[in-house]
Amino acid sequence: MSRMEVPIQNDVLYSTGDLLLRAEVDLWVRNGVGSWTTETFRVDSGSEISAMPAWYAKKLGLPMPQAGVTSPRAAVLFLI
């Protein structure tokens, strides 16, 4: 089985003193004409699919699905 490790980043929420943890990963994304670009995503290990805003996908020239996701699922990676 493959394994990927990324450093966990943290911040302190000053109003409460809570520690905020997150992981980010740079991924290569291929657009509709075959060009590759690097985009930074926030990782959510407890989710099943990846998502980004439609306006940003259009800006990158990514192919758009004809029908959206119909089942309620959280996104795995959030575009930063």
Side-chain angles (χ1 to χ4, degrees):
M1 176 187 292
S2 298
R3 182 172 107 175
M4 181 175 79
E5 295 182 18
V6 294
I8 294 180
Q9 302 170 2
N10 64 46
D11 287 313
V12 175
L13 185 59
Y14 293 105
S15 61
T16 63
D18 291 336
L19 183 63
L20 305 174
L21 301 175
R22 68 183 181 284
E24 296 173 355
V25 62
D26 291 332
L27 299 177
W28 286 94
V29 178
R30 188 169 65 179
N31 64 19
V33 295
S35 299
W36 292 89
T37 182
T38 303
E39 298 295 328
T40 301
F41 289 84
R42 185 162 295 161
V43 177
D44 180 358
S45 62
S47 300
E48 299 176 3
I49 63 171
S50 300
M52 74 171 52
W55 66 266
Y56 196 75
K58 288 179 184 178
K59 177 182 170 186
L60 294 174
L62 299 178
M64 299 292 290
Q66 295 301 313
V69 177
T70 57
S71 62
R73 296 183 184 181
V76 172
L77 306 170
F78 299 96
L79 188 66
I80 300 299

